[in-house]
Amino acid sequence: MNKSTSKMPLVYVITIITLLVIVGASSYIASTNTEAKLNSVIGNVLPLSSLSEELLVDLINMETGLRGFEVTGEEKYLEPHYEGMTELQLDLERMNEYQKLYPRIGSVMEADLLPQIRRLQDHYSSQINLIRAGQKDLAIQRVGTGKTYMDRYRQLHTKLKTEIDIIADEAHKSALLAESRSRLIISAGSAIAVIVGLYSAFIFHRANRAEAALRKSEETYRFMAESLEVQNEEIIAQQEEQEATLEKLSLREQELEAISTYQEKLTGAKDMEAFLEASLPALLASLKLEAGMLVMKKPGETPADEPRYVVQYALGYPQRGTAVRESELHGAARRVMTEKSGFEVTREATEAERGFHYGVTYAVDRYCPLLDDRKQAVGFLLLTGYQRTPDEQKTRLSKGLLHQFELAFQVQQFNEDRRQQAAHLEQLNEQLQHEKRLIEEQNNLIGSILESTHESMMMTDAAGNILFANSKMNVGNRIGDNIGDVYKFAVNLTPQLASTYEAIQALLRGERDQLTERFHYPNGEDGQLRHFELYASKVEQKLTNEVQGYLFVFRDRTEEEKVDEMKNEFISIVSHELRTPLASVLGFIEILLHRQLPAEKQQRYMQTIYKEATRLSTLINDFLDLQRMEAGKQVYHLVPVELGGIVQEVAEQWRTKQGHEILLEMPPQEIWVRGDADRLKQIVHNLLSNAVKYSPQADRVEVTLRTEQGEALLDIQDYGLGIPEDARDKLFNKFYRVDNSDRRQIGGTGLGLAIVKEIAEAHEGTITYESVMGEGTTFTFRLPSIEMLPSGGRILIVEDDENLAKLIGDTLGKLELPVTHVRSAEEAILALDRTEGEGPRLCVVDIMLDGTKSGWDFLLELYRHPQYHRTPVIVSTALDQPQGYREKEREKFLRKPFTMEKLLQVAEHLLTHTERHPAYVFMGHDELAVASSLERNGIEIREITRRDDHIEVEPRPAERRQYPGLT
């Protein structure tokens, strides 16, 4: 019994120890399993999530550096790119270890992320190579491709994060399962302990001797319970730590999303304002700051003014500041611009910054300088936060974000400069286009001038290569060829050009400064010689006298040679024509001087001398007339003449001189033209002379005068030799004579028809002919005819200026009287003579007129007219009043230019004050001078009266003089 009793405590002790071992082992296994799961979450899942974010940051750093290099082209901006590339390789190696642990991660990396990373790396490398190769524009065009690759990577990165979240969820579930298992093990151990306790109590009840051992077992159990409580507290602490880690991961994810959004805002802005509106709020959100301000340095209005600092953008501050000069910049702002490095300043918050938030007491200002590509401070960024504690990781993050902002700001600033430059370039392009149009217009003008010249012109460079040739040069497709080669080819065809070729070569070699050569060659079409004169000179640069090329001018002298030939022929003809009559004159005079001849023979010899002298005089007069006409010195007195009278007078003269019968056909009415009577007679004489001369076998010449559609036509037809067709273009040239055997016996100088043409054109007429060889020729002279209007009851305007006459007529038309306009005093006198009954109501007379007479001559005829001498007169002239002239009551003297109102006023006064005889009104008091002037103008004085400020003269009516119409 004692033995049995003594064994019970031992069994109890062993049982208690076994129970404690089981409970301890179960607790250890549960805690170890839970710890392993938590370590798996903390050691693998959390670093894996952070590693995926670091991969994204590495690629963003590479892209940021590349963007700076794309914009500026400077290698220094690639430093972040290469740093990101190095970090990327290290992070990929770490990721490779996790791929082995997590097959899901490995499949995503191998199938999606790693190929996309390689595409980005290849794109970045190709962009750097393009920029280094000078293909910056192509690289900038491909920026969009890189952004597409980056956007695709962000999508794949999201997929990777999803896989990591799945792994984290599985680890979390495993930890929860381990925790459940540990509770189950502890519960099982506790149940076993209860069973063993009951069993022990039962044993203790049965074995009193085991009481001491039982108490010891109770103490041991108490200790075990305390141990289990400690383990339970450790498990709760691990759960809280896991929840804190998950919260940190969530915050980190939010930060990364804010950073990603911020980085997206850094690109794609159209202008600086849009960039700041998008990027600065995103920067503040990423750094969790409350306010930001961008201050930029602006140059002064003039170079002497100090730079100004202007708040370009502000967000979160009570109000914006105003622009200040550089000398007014102080404190932290001056320090950041001077030191060119960032720093933080802690200060008390202002009342405006506190606002309704009374808990805000301190503000932390971070000053960040903005540098240009020359490392000069161009402004600074001020970021402000309220009640923020320092955070090393956030400080490092803010440096990176601020650096990205600085790079993006430089890029945007560069884009702004490029936009302004583009606008300036567009303006310059418009100016260039305008100048280009002006140059084109000048070139077209110069080209037109060169094309309008009669000379052939060609420009070569210093080597003799043809640069330009006008159309008259006719070089075809030889532009760009050497002029020496062109002439060498021409020399092979025409050896006469060899000397000219050598002269051109000497000019190109610099042996001559200029060149003047004459040459000729046969024309390929008709074989006639073409004569040219070549002028060539250097074209030098004004400042350096460097030879830039040569100008060649080819002047066609063929017509000049023909004229010279005609002159030589003319000299020969004139010599012959002069010698023949002179020889006759001298011969007959010699006979008359040395011989005694009967009176009848002397008379015949004297007639021959007169005839030959007249022939000689006509020849000389024709030559002198043509010279005056060609020189523009011939004076034509264009007055109304009756053409029928002129033709009839000349025809009568020829009827008595030649054996030809002159048949004259005239119209019944008069035909009036405006012309010079003497020159019109010369036309008729010359045409009749040719008709008689070149129809030696005929016995008549027909002369017909007619009118047709407002023109007067004079036809002179002969029945002689006729004119060949090939002479049509040259017949009216001076010195030209048709060359054939029938005409060699006919004298002449070839000037008659040339004179006819000059006179006809001076009268605004034409001369033409129709001819049939062997049958005869008809010459037709055309000139405009005029209508002789009456002057009775009309206003007669005597004015040679058509425009002024029309203006005067329109003005005086208000008087409701018809108007007649004549251009000469002869025409006015003729109109006056042809007027019957009522005379003109008013005369407006100019002094300087067409014709041989002046306005004074018409006035004298008017005043001598017994019927019309009371006609009022307005004298309008550009000349001063003649000596001794004074106005009369019916005669007003107006100097040009005068107003039409004044003219109308004077005309109305003269037309309404015609009751008494006209009185001449002279300003002044010299009666003798007045009387002398009137007598000099042919006006007799009846009475002269002296007034206070003028002298009145009553003229004596003059007897009417008879004067014929001018014909």
Side-chain angles (χ1 to χ4, degrees):
M1 183 65 186
N2 290 336
K3 186 177 180 179
S4 170
T5 303
S6 60
K7 290 182 179 181
M8 289 303 295
L10 180 60
V11 173
Y12 177 76
V13 171
I14 293 173
T15 302
I16 294 301
I17 291 173
T18 302
L19 177 61
L20 291 176
V21 169
I22 292 172
V23 173
S26 64
S27 299
Y28 175 77
I29 292 171
S31 62
T32 301
N33 187 27
T34 302
E35 182 179 3
K37 296 299 182 180
L38 291 175
N39 288 337
S40 175
V41 173
I42 296 173
N44 293 333
V45 178
L46 296 181
L48 180 59
S49 178
S50 178
L51 181 58
S52 68
E53 298 299 330
E54 290 176 359
L55 287 175
L56 178 60
V57 172
D58 294 338
L59 290 175
I60 291 173
N61 289 335
M62 290 176 67
E63 183 180 20
T64 302
L66 178 61
R67 292 287 175 81
F69 182 62
E70 288 174 344
V71 172
T72 63
E74 296 183 6
E75 296 286 344
K76 64 182 181 180
Y77 290 100
L78 289 176
E79 294 178 2
H81 175 80
Y82 290 123
E83 292 175 1
M85 183 184 295
T86 304
E87 293 295 330
L88 178 64
Q89 297 300 325
L90 296 176
D91 293 337
L92 287 175
E93 292 176 1
R94 291 169 55 195
M95 181 61 73
N96 189 36
E97 299 296 329
Y98 287 106
Q99 290 178 229
K100 297 176 182 179
L101 295 175
Y102 301 102
R104 297 173 63 92
I105 299 298
S107 62
V108 172
M109 288 295 295
E110 293 296 333
D112 297 324
L113 266 73
L114 288 179
Q116 190 65 23
I117 290 174
R118 283 192 289 271
R119 293 188 192 99
L120 284 169
Q121 288 178 327
D122 293 341
H123 173 73
Y124 294 158
S125 298
S126 64
Q127 289 290 90
I128 293 172
N129 292 334
L130 286 174
I131 296 175
R132 288 175 175 171
Q135 301 183 14
K136 185 175 181 180
D137 294 337
L138 179 58
I140 293 176
Q141 293 177 3
R142 298 183 55 195
V143 167
T145 303
K147 190 174 183 306
T148 302
Y149 287 164
M150 193 64 189
D151 293 340
R152 176 58 182 164
Y153 178 81
R154 285 190 173 95
Q155 296 175 358
L156 298 176
H157 176 262
T158 303
K159 181 178 179 180
L160 177 63
K161 288 177 59 179
T162 302
E163 295 296 332
I164 293 174
D165 292 341
I166 293 173
I167 293 174
D169 291 340
E170 291 177 354
H172 183 257
K173 291 178 181 179
S174 298
L176 294 177
L177 181 61
E179 183 179 3
S180 300
R181 290 177 179 175
S182 64
R183 290 193 183 97
L184 181 61
I185 292 172
I186 292 172
S187 300
S190 300
I192 294 172
V194 169
I195 294 172
V196 173
L198 293 174
Y199 179 74
S200 298
F202 175 77
I203 296 300
F204 178 75
H205 180 72
R206 293 184 61 184
N208 291 329
R209 299 178 69 175
E211 183 178 357
L214 182 58
R215 291 192 182 95
K216 189 175 181 179
S217 297
E218 289 178 354
E219 293 177 356
T220 302
Y221 177 75
R222 190 179 299 108
F223 174 76
M224 182 182 65
E226 292 176 355
S227 297
L228 289 174
E229 186 176 355
V230 170
Q231 291 178 0
N232 187 36
E233 290 177 355
E234 290 178 355
I235 291 173
I236 294 172
Q238 289 176 358
Q239 290 178 348
E240 293 176 351
E241 182 179 358
Q242 182 180 5
E243 291 176 356
T245 301
L246 291 176
E247 183 179 359
K248 289 180 179 180
L249 286 176
S250 177
L251 293 175
R252 179 60 176 168
E253 182 178 1
Q254 294 177 1
E255 290 178 355
L256 290 176
E257 290 178 356
I259 292 171
S260 178
T261 302
Y262 162 70
Q263 290 171 345
E264 291 178 357
K265 300 291 186 180
L266 292 179
T267 58
K270 294 182 178 179
D271 50 33
M272 180 62 73
E273 183 178 359
F275 169 76
L276 295 177
E277 290 287 349
S279 61
L280 277 181
L283 177 62
L284 295 177
S286 300
L287 297 178
K288 295 184 178 179
L289 299 178
E290 284 74 19
M293 178 186 299
L294 178 65
V295 180
M296 294 302 297
K297 183 178 181 180
K298 302 292 183 181
E301 296 181 357
T302 64
D305 294 340
E306 293 183 355
R308 299 176 298 114
Y309 289 87
V310 179
V311 177
Q312 190 164 349
Y313 185 84
L315 179 65
Y317 292 104
Q319 62 182 1
R320 292 192 177 187
T322 58
V324 297
R325 295 191 299 270
E326 186 173 21
S327 59
E328 298 174 353
L329 201 65
H330 56 81
R334 190 175 187 86
R335 175 185 168 190
V336 71
M337 295 298 295
T338 303
E339 297 180 358
K340 303 175 185 177
S341 60
F343 56 85
E344 289 185 354
V345 175
T346 302
R347 59 177 174 82
E348 291 186 0
T350 64
E351 292 295 333
E353 288 176 324
R354 291 192 184 98
F356 295 102
H357 306 285
Y358 295 102
V360 175
T361 57
Y362 293 98
V364 179
D365 293 332
R366 180 175 181 85
Y367 290 85
C368 307
L370 297 177
L371 307 179
D372 59 11
D373 54 355
R374 295 172 301 193
K375 299 300 182 182
Q376 297 296 322
V378 296
F380 64 87
L381 183 64
L382 174 61
L383 303 176
T384 301
Y386 303 108
Q387 292 183 334
R388 292 288 182 266
T389 57
D391 188 337
E392 182 178 355
Q393 182 179 2
K394 182 172 294 185
T395 300
R396 182 168 57 86
L397 177 62
S398 65
K399 288 182 179 179
L401 296 181
L402 289 173
H403 182 64
Q404 292 178 9
F405 177 82
E406 181 179 1
L407 292 177
F409 181 79
Q410 290 181 359
V411 172
Q412 192 64 38
Q413 190 71 35
F414 178 76
N415 291 335
E416 287 290 318
D417 294 339
R418 287 188 61 186
R419 189 177 296 108
Q420 295 176 0
Q421 292 174 0
H424 183 61
L425 287 176
E426 184 177 358
Q427 183 180 4
L428 291 178
N429 184 54
E430 292 179 358
Q431 296 177 357
L432 181 61
Q433 293 297 327
H434 178 67
E435 294 178 357
K436 182 180 178 182
R437 287 192 296 271
L438 292 180
I439 292 174
E440 289 178 353
E441 292 176 359
Q442 292 177 355
N443 289 338
N444 293 335
L445 177 60
I446 293 173
S448 299
I449 293 174
L450 294 178
E451 290 295 338
S452 63
T453 58
H454 297 288
E455 289 79 13
S456 302
M457 303 182 69
M458 179 168 59
M459 182 73 184
T460 69
D461 59 15
N465 298 317
I466 300 174
L467 301 177
F468 166 81
N470 62 1
S471 58
K472 293 182 178 62
M473 194 66 215
N474 194 22
V475 296
N477 58 353
R478 302 302 296 270
I479 298 295
D481 292 352
N482 191 277
I483 188 173
D485 297 337
V486 174
Y487 258 85
K488 188 174 181 180
F489 176 77
V491 169
N492 294 333
L493 299 178
T494 309
Q496 296 94 321
L497 300 178
S499 60
T500 306
Y501 170 74
E502 293 298 332
I504 292 175
Q505 291 296 329
L507 179 67
L508 296 178
R509 291 193 298 267
E511 299 174 3
R512 303 179 65 169
D513 293 332
Q514 58 184 4
L515 176 64
T516 302
E517 290 285 331
R518 289 188 176 185
F519 60 91
H520 62 272
Y521 63 88
N523 192 1
E525 297 179 357
D526 52 14
Q528 295 184 357
L529 286 180
R530 296 288 301 276
H531 297 266
F532 284 90
E533 187 167 10
L534 169 62
Y535 303 95
S537 60
K538 297 179 181 178
V539 179
E540 297 179 338
Q541 211 276 340
K542 291 184 178 180
L543 298 178
T544 63
N545 292 330
E546 179 184 358
V547 178
Q548 295 180 325
Y550 299 91
L551 177 64
F552 294 85
V553 180
F554 296 84
R555 188 169 66 88
D556 191 346
R557 297 182 58 256
T558 304
E559 293 300 324
E560 293 182 12
E561 289 291 334
K562 291 181 179 179
V563 172
D564 290 341
E565 183 179 353
M566 293 172 64
K567 285 183 179 179
N568 294 332
E569 183 179 356
F570 167 73
I571 292 173
S572 176
I573 294 172
V574 169
S575 299
H576 176 269
E577 295 292 332
L578 289 175
R579 281 197 302 267
T580 300
L582 282 176
S584 299
V585 170
L586 291 174
F588 284 111
I589 289 177
E590 185 178 3
I591 293 174
L592 292 173
L593 289 175
H594 296 89
R595 294 184 185 182
Q596 294 293 330
L597 299 174
E600 181 181 353
K601 186 174 288 189
Q602 288 182 6
Q603 182 67 25
R604 188 168 65 251
Y605 285 176
M606 291 298 291
Q607 290 179 352
T608 303
I609 292 172
Y610 176 76
K611 178 180 178 182
E612 294 298 332
T614 302
R615 176 183 171 190
L616 184 61
S617 176
T618 302
L619 173 65
I620 294 174
N621 288 335
D622 285 347
F623 179 74
L624 294 177
D625 286 344
L626 185 59
Q627 290 299 108
R628 283 196 301 269
M629 293 173 186
E630 289 185 339
K633 297 180 180 180
Q634 179 65 48
V635 178
Y636 295 94
H637 300 290
L638 302 178
V639 297
V641 294
E642 206 283 305
L643 187 59
I646 292 177
V647 173
Q648 190 168 6
E649 178 183 349
V650 176
E652 290 297 330
Q653 294 175 4
W654 276 92
R655 283 174 180 167
T656 62
K657 290 183 179 180
Q658 300 291 336
H660 287 68
E661 182 182 4
I662 307 300
L663 301 179
L664 184 60
E665 182 179 350
M666 302 284 290
Q669 74 279 6
E670 293 180 341
I671 299 179
W672 288 88
V673 297
R674 194 182 307 279
D676 189 314
D678 293 336
R679 296 306 165 188
L680 292 177
K681 291 178 183 179
Q682 190 173 3
I683 287 180
V684 181
H685 271 295
N686 287 356
L687 293 178
L688 282 175
S689 174
N690 274 8
V692 172
K693 188 186 303 182
Y694 290 100
S695 59
Q697 306 300 325
D699 59 356
R700 73 183 188 277
V701 173
E702 297 178 0
V703 178
T704 304
L705 181 62
R706 54 193 173 92
T707 58
E708 181 180 294
Q709 296 180 355
E711 289 184 324
L713 285 78
L714 175 63
D715 298 327
I716 298 180
Q717 181 178 2
D718 65 61
Y719 296 92
L721 302 176
I723 302 172
E725 187 64 28
D726 58 1
R728 181 173 293 276
D729 295 334
K730 299 174 285 185
L731 186 64
F732 292 98
N733 294 344
K734 59 184 179 179
F735 313 129
Y736 180 77
R737 299 178 68 209
V738 178
D739 186 15
N740 57 43
S741 59
D742 295 333
R743 290 173 172 82
R744 289 174 184 167
Q745 303 301 324
I746 302 174
T749 60
L751 296 178
L753 290 179
I755 292 174
V756 168
K757 181 180 179 183
E758 290 288 341
I759 297 174
E761 291 178 351
H763 284 71
E764 298 181 356
T766 60
I767 181 71
T768 58
Y769 74 92
E770 295 293 334
S771 181
V772 178
M773 289 297 294
E775 296 182 7
T777 304
T778 300
F779 280 90
T780 301
F781 171 46
R782 294 172 176 260
L783 75 165
S785 62
I786 62 173
E787 181 181 359
M788 295 301 297
L789 297 175
S791 61
R794 307 169 72 91
I795 296 176
L796 180 61
I797 300 175
V798 187
E799 173 65 62
D800 60 344
D801 189 329
E802 294 286 349
N803 293 328
L804 181 57
K806 185 177 185 302
L807 180 60
I808 293 174
D810 292 341
T811 302
L812 298 182
K814 298 178 181 178
L815 301 176
E816 298 182 355
L817 290 175
V819 176
T820 296
H821 169 228
V822 295
R823 299 184 54 177
S824 63
E826 290 87 347
E827 189 174 356
I829 294 172
L830 182 61
L832 193 66
D833 185 55
R834 293 168 62 87
T835 300
E836 297 180 357
E838 183 184 7
R841 297 289 303 278
L842 173 69
C843 295
V844 180
V845 183
D846 188 15
I847 300 301
M848 300 301 296
L849 300 168
D850 290 345
T852 59
K853 295 185 178 182
S854 68
W856 299 116
D857 297 314
F858 168 73
L859 291 178
L860 182 59
E861 293 293 333
L862 181 63
Y863 295 146
R864 289 178 178 176
H865 202 288
Q867 185 177 357
Y868 307 139
H869 63 278
R870 297 181 53 134
T871 303
V873 176
I874 298 176
V875 179
S876 65
T877 181
L879 301 177
D880 291 334
Q881 296 178 2
Q883 183 179 3
Y885 177 86
R886 294 293 184 272
E887 286 188 354
K888 300 176 287 294
E889 181 181 352
R890 298 183 181 278
E891 180 179 324
K892 297 297 181 181
F893 194 98
L894 299 180
R895 290 186 179 90
K896 297 177 181 177
F898 50 84
T899 64
M900 294 297 104
E901 291 78 5
K902 179 64 174 178
L903 174 66
L904 186 60
Q905 179 183 355
V906 172
E908 287 178 341
H909 177 75
L910 291 176
L911 288 173
T912 56
H913 296 78
T914 59
E915 294 82 7
R916 61 186 181 90
H917 292 290
Y920 296 88
V921 180
F922 297 90
M923 303 303 296
H925 306 281
D926 192 347
E927 300 177 16
L928 294 177
V930 170
S932 175
S933 297
L934 291 174
E935 290 177 357
R936 189 166 50 249
N937 285 280
I939 300 176
E940 298 179 2
I941 300 175
R942 171 186 290 176
E943 181 182 359
I944 183 167
T945 306
R946 181 171 182 174
R947 304 295 184 185
D948 292 337
D949 57 351
H950 65 277
I951 296 174
E952 295 181 356
V953 177
E954 185 72 21
R956 186 185 302 277
E959 296 182 1
R960 175 166 179 170
R961 296 185 180 181
Q962 300 293 330
Y963 50 90
L966 298 178
T967 56

